């Protein structure tokens, strides 16, 4: 069973913020939300992760709702190089959990 | 520094043949993972190594698939009697310790085509 639901595709304009939604309504209290992206012909790349607080790094911001049933990845100023498939993954960070369970992701196309 | 590398980048073979796919993880990473990605889908877990041992091979689809990591560094994924359904991109990833690592570092993958 899929643990996350993402829209299959979205477009955004270069230079604008891209807001990528993810639903994870069955998330458990000890599960983190992870985001990876995969640029065409490359392997996935880690972006960011969070538990319940909002997080920001040099690549993106992650906003998690208070009930933790959904989250939004924000690319503040999208560039053409941000065109990729973005995967939202929920994962327990514990000693015997290491697999990443990818869904189909959201194909994001940044247009000039 | 050098990332995860995989060779070959592309492999075309005929049904029934044997293939080996190689992964060179980031130096010092003890954990190594293999995933398989079919067209239009996200990667699916195959096997996880901690050091030299396969800690979890539950994702291997059947006994035609086997992987080794004899010295705890380079890993080889081996597929016997290939079938057309094995065509996919095979991704390798590594991480520092495995458990509790936030980030897995992926290679570019090997695209396997079985004719």
């Amino acid at each position: 069973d899929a643990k996350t639901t993402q829209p299959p595709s979205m477009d955004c304009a270069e230079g604008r913020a891209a807001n990528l939604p993810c639903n994870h309504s069955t998330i458990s209290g000890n599960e983190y939300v992870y985001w990876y992206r995969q640029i065409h012909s490359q392997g996935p790349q880690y972006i960011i992760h969070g538990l319940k607080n909002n997080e920001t790094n040099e690549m993106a911001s992650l906003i998690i709702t208070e009930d933790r049933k959904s989250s939004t990845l924000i690319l503040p100023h999208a560039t053409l190089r941000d065109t990729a498939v973005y995967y939202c993954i929920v994962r327990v960070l514990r000693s015997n959990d290491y697999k990443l369970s990818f869904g189909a992701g959201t194909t994001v196309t940044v247009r000039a | 520094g050098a990332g995860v590398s995989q060779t070959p980048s592309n492999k075309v073979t005929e049904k029934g043949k044997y293939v080996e796919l190689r992964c060179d993880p980031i130096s010092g990473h003890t954990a190594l993972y293999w995933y398989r990605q079919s067209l239009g889908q996200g990667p699916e877990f195959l096997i996880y190594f901690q050091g030299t041992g396969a800690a979890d091979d539950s994702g291997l689809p059947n006994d035609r698939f086997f992987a080794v990591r004899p010295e705890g560094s380079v890993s080889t994924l081996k597929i016997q009697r290939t079938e057309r359904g094995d065509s996919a991109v095979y991704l390798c990833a590594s991480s520092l310790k495995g458990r509790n690592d936030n980030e897995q570092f992926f290679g570019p993958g090997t695209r396997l085509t079985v004719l």
Side-chain angles (χ1 to χ4, degrees):
Chain A
D1 291 338
K3 288 191 168 186
T4 64
T5 305
Q6 299 177 252
S9 64
M10 63 182 294
D11 287 0
C12 64
E14 187 179 22
R16 303 295 293 270
N19 298 296
L20 283 61
C22 180
N23 287 322
H24 30 78
S25 58
T26 60
I27 194 170
S28 301
N30 60 352
E31 286 185 309
Y32 287 70
V33 180
Y34 281 75
W35 284 83
Y36 275 73
R37 75 177 183 184
Q38 187 172 23
I39 295 170
H40 183 62
S41 297
Q42 297 182 22
Q45 175 192 22
Y46 166 83
I47 300 173
I48 199 168
H49 76 283
L51 182 62
K52 53 185 175 182
N53 297 321
N54 297 338
E55 302 288 345
T56 295
N57 64 20
E58 66 279 4
M59 290 183 69
S61 295
L62 174 60
I63 309 297
I64 302 174
T65 58
E66 192 168 344
D67 64 7
R68 302 210 325 120
K69 293 185 177 182
S70 66
S71 60
T72 301
L73 180 74
I74 301 172
L75 307 177
H77 304 286
T79 71
L80 298 179
R81 287 177 292 182
D82 292 322
T83 292
V85 179
Y86 286 77
Y87 298 100
C88 171
I89 300 165
V90 295
R91 176 190 174 209
V92 176
L93 195 67
R94 63 184 181 197
S95 62
N96 61 347
D97 183 61
Y98 41 78
K99 300 176 192 176
L100 294 175
S101 298
F102 294 85
T106 296
T107 299
V108 173
T109 304
V110 180
R111 302 192 186 278
Chain B
V4 177
S5 62
Q6 293 186 245
T7 54
S9 55
N10 283 282
K11 176 71 177 178
V12 180
T13 191
E14 293 179 342
K15 181 175 177 296
K17 298 290 189 182
Y18 168 82
V19 296
E20 289 189 351
L21 312 179
R22 176 187 168 109
C23 172
D24 282 83
I26 293 172
S27 178
H29 280 193
T30 62
L32 185 144
Y33 318 78
W34 284 98
Y35 293 81
R36 178 169 73 171
Q37 185 171 25
S38 300
L39 191 63
Q41 299 181 20
E44 292 180 305
F45 169 80
L46 294 177
I47 187 170
Y48 158 59
F49 285 90
Q50 183 59 254
T52 60
D56 182 352
D57 64 359
S58 63
L60 295 178
N62 51 60
D63 61 6
R64 295 186 297 105
F65 288 74
F66 189 71
V68 296
R69 194 185 185 201
E71 298 179 358
S73 179
V74 170
S75 176
T76 305
L77 179 65
K78 308 181 181 193
I79 310 174
Q80 298 177 321
R81 304 183 302 280
T82 52
E83 300 178 357
R84 293 195 179 89
D86 299 334
S87 296
V89 175
Y90 289 81
L91 294 161
C92 176
S94 71
S95 67
L96 191 59
K97 300 187 301 289
R99 297 164 179 179
N100 295 328
D101 284 338
N102 285 322
E103 183 172 359
Q104 294 181 17
F105 296 84
F106 283 80
T110 293
R111 180 175 299 278
L112 175 66
T113 303
V114 182
L115 301 177

